Amino acid sequence: MAQDDPQPLVTFERVCKSFGRRAEESVLVDVDLDVGRGELVAIIGPSGCGKSTVLNLVAGLTDVTSGSVRVADPEVRSAYVFQNPRLLPWRDVQANVEFSLEQIGLSRKDIRDRADEALDLVHLGQHKDKYPHELSGGMQQRAALARGLALDPGLLLLDEPFGALDALTRGYLQEELLGIVRRFQTTTLLVTHDIDEALLLADRLAVMSSRPARIRQIFELPFGPDRALDKVVAHPEFLPLRTEIRELLRPEVEATDPGSASTDASQATAAGTRRGSRARAGTAQ
Amino acid sequence: MSSLIGSPPETGATTPTAVPARQGLSAGRARTARRGLRVLAAVVVLGVAWALIAPNYPSFVFPTPADVWASFTRAVERGVWVEQVIATLGHLGSAFAIVLVAGLPLGILIGRSIIAEDLSRVVLVFFQTVPTVVLIALALAIYGISDESVIGVTVAGSITYFLLNVIQGTRAIDRDLVDMARAYHANETTIMRTVVVPSVIPYFLAGARITLGVAWQITLFSEYLMGSAGIGFNVNTAISLLDTSTVFMWGLSVVALTLLVEYGLFRPVERRLTRHMRRT
């Protein structure tokens, strides 16, 4: 849908990233990706492949080695929700949510009001006077989400934001997030290693290979803008897509974690490479 | 020295894990009271033993509690006690303030910048290892007998203890939090104020406590050797007159003052600065 917009909000052009002085450790290779306005793009890949680096590049926490990452609207307010909550331990929940707002030059009263709103949005209103160590992991992550959402961001960067949570809390927060992002038409880039999460939340899904990571294939997801978990799971294309993505990721996970390679590993890898080259060819068009 | 005071569960209050988890409130209070009584009992036993043993020796070797008390009341009546205590606290307070005010930014700078670390290494090692006696001799050569000499020697002799703690605290800063702040477009000043300084505070407190203990020793030592005003100088005068009860009196006075600073100043400040770590 949104990638047909004349100008995407975020554009990756042949982005390469390597760490170390002499580029010995290559993390990202030739990443091309657009994120249209109001679109939710998910990036999925084996753990440790460099997915987080993609978000760090957009957030300006690190620079590309070559290629470019462009955010079309430089005034856009971005919010970054990390894998771990990253709350300031010496601030209570309210003050932690206010942290993001303090950076954009609002009056004290506006800061307070908008933090209150965001806390209500994630149902933390009653806990705003507590310090992070007094909250459960799920509540901490919700506070981190509120810190991002309070900004009313034009661009939301999510790095496996629910990865550390139990399945129940995760499912609940995913639906909540989906509702919020839909309601405010927030352009979102989500990094995850959970196929179901990606299928539920994303408009488009980019599958990455293991390190050095390339985008192997981009899927257009057919579940419509007003999707919900139950509807998505019941959709006739859900299972085939899930299987296809799983198979696409299998050799990548085995490459990351050789211990898990089965007896037919060589066969799977060979198949994966074939598939991979086809997918790359497809992406390059 | 002041770091040795206090019952074990309270001493390490600078790390979150050292804060005791909430237990039955009244049970906790009863336990604290029991432990307090034990400490008090030990004080009484030592006092009684002192009163019993001391009369067997000449007063210039081992004065009795009564001798020491008489020396104390005499010093207070003549105004010497208050005057000398103020002189020493003046030396100590000035030196301590200089160490804290100069040491915090310096420590953060050294902790954050490899260049600053390399450049400062020689100086740090020098101040850490140079004998206090040499510092005193140098101060005498430069300033002569003066308050500045005592303060300067105390600063030079104690600042490394503080710096090393702040440097360590700066290195222990959670990079994730700094990245978080940066991702939300906080500028460097804001990051310093909202992330770096609060992270360093537990180390700041630990360093300040060690530094205060060391500074007490060096101040008294310098006063003793340089003959400026203060408790150290009075100990020197008293012992040269074989007035041992006055030496005892000053020794106990310093113990009392240290306790006063610890519980009257240090603990309340510490409690305030680390209140987010307490479990309520």
Side-chain angles (χ1 to χ4, degrees), chain A residues 17 31 53 55 64 67 79 81 103-104 107 115 122 126 141 146 172 178 181 188 211 238 261 278:
Chain A
K17 173 72 186 174
V31 171
T53 307
L55 296 186
V64 296
V81 182
Q103 316 309 326
I104 58 172
S107 73
V122 299
Q126 314 154 7
Q141 197 58 11
Y172 173 65
L178 188 61
V181 167
T188 306
R211 229 177 229 215
F238 177 77
R278 189 149 40 86

Side-chain angles (χ1 to χ4, degrees), chain A residues 80 84 86 90 133-134 148, chain B residues 176 184 194 198-199 276 279-280:
Chain A
Y80 196 157
N84 46 347
R86 303 198 186 182
W90 41 86
H133 71 81
E134 298 172 296
Chain B
D176 281 0
Y184 284 106
T194 56
S199 302
H276 63 275
R279 319 214 176 247
T280 45

Side-chain angles (χ1 to χ4, degrees), chain A residues 59 61 76 78-82 84 86-91 99-100 102-103 131 133-134 144 147-148 151, chain B residues 174-187 190 193-196 198-199 275-280:
Chain A
L61 295 181
V76 77
S78 64
Y80 196 157
V81 182
F82 302 88
N84 46 347
R86 303 198 186 182
L87 302 172
L88 300 172
W90 41 86
R91 287 186 171 213
F99 181 85
S100 61
E102 288 165 11
Q103 316 309 326
Y131 284 100
H133 71 81
E134 298 172 296
R147 176 176 60 198
L151 276 181
Chain B
D174 188 348
R175 299 295 313 166
D176 281 0
L177 290 183
V178 177
D179 273 352
M180 181 281 292
R182 221 161 255 157
Y184 284 106
H185 310 291
N187 59 34
T190 308
R193 184 172 51 79
T194 56
V195 181
V196 175
S199 302
R275 64 190 184 283
H276 63 275
M277 293 174 176
R278 272 206 311 279
R279 319 214 176 247
T280 45

Side-chain angles (χ1 to χ4, degrees), chain A residues 33 61 147 157 160 174 178 183 205 253:
Chain A
L33 183 67
L61 295 181
R147 176 176 60 198
L157 306 171
E160 299 181 22
Q174 281 168 347
L178 188 61
R183 179 140 51 102
L205 172 55
V253 173

